Amino acid sequence: VILWDHRNLTPEMKLQGTGAHSASVLSQAYLPRFNSLVTVACEKKVFVWTIDSTAFRGMKAKLSGHSANVMRVSAGQKVFFTLDEAFNGILWD
């Protein structure tokens, strides 16, 4: 995952290394109410990052619950929904 500086369209930070995704990121969603970026990759975990309007604040959580690789994430106001390769969905709050 790369965070971009919107003023000059240059990469500001790469979320990689220990604690980051080990596979290709397939989907992401932002929950502005909680300053959270949710990312999913070709793996069974869901990553939640804290990002506000001024800076990246770190990883908030790694969520487990899927038995197959997660493909998609979609965000609402207070919740987000993930869907895996076996077509199992989880509503997270």
Side-chain angles (χ1 to χ4, degrees), residues 34-46:
F34 302 106
N35 296 321
S36 296
L37 175 67
V38 181
T39 58
V40 299
C42 292
E43 53 197 6
K44 298 173 186 172
K45 292 187 188 240
V46 177

Side-chain angles (χ1 to χ4, degrees), residues 30-36 60 76-79:
Y30 185 65
L31 287 88
R33 182 178 210 150
F34 302 106
N35 296 321
S36 296
K60 187 181 275 186
Q77 291 293 319
K78 297 181 181 180
V79 298

Side-chain angles (χ1 to χ4, degrees), residues 39-55:
T39 58
V40 299
C42 292
E43 53 197 6
K44 298 173 186 172
K45 292 187 188 240
V46 177
F47 287 57
V48 182
W49 311 88
T50 301
I51 300 174
D52 62 26
S53 61
T54 59

Side-chain angles (χ1 to χ4, degrees), residues 3-68:
L3 302 179
W4 291 82
D5 182 335
H6 71 279
R7 295 172 296 245
N8 57 19
L9 299 177
T10 58
E12 187 173 304
M13 176 181 287
K14 289 184 180 181
L15 307 180
Q16 62 186 11
T18 304
H21 287 287
S22 60
S24 299
V25 174
L26 299 174
S27 183
Q28 61 186 8
Y30 185 65
L31 287 88
R33 182 178 210 150
F34 302 106
N35 296 321
S36 296
L37 175 67
V38 181
T39 58
V40 299
C42 292
E43 53 197 6
K44 298 173 186 172
K45 292 187 188 240
V46 177
F47 287 57
V48 182
W49 311 88
T50 301
I51 300 174
D52 62 26
S53 61
T54 59
F56 168 67
R57 304 288 181 202
M59 180 175 292
K60 187 181 275 186
K62 281 186 192 179
L63 306 174
S64 299
H66 283 282
S67 57

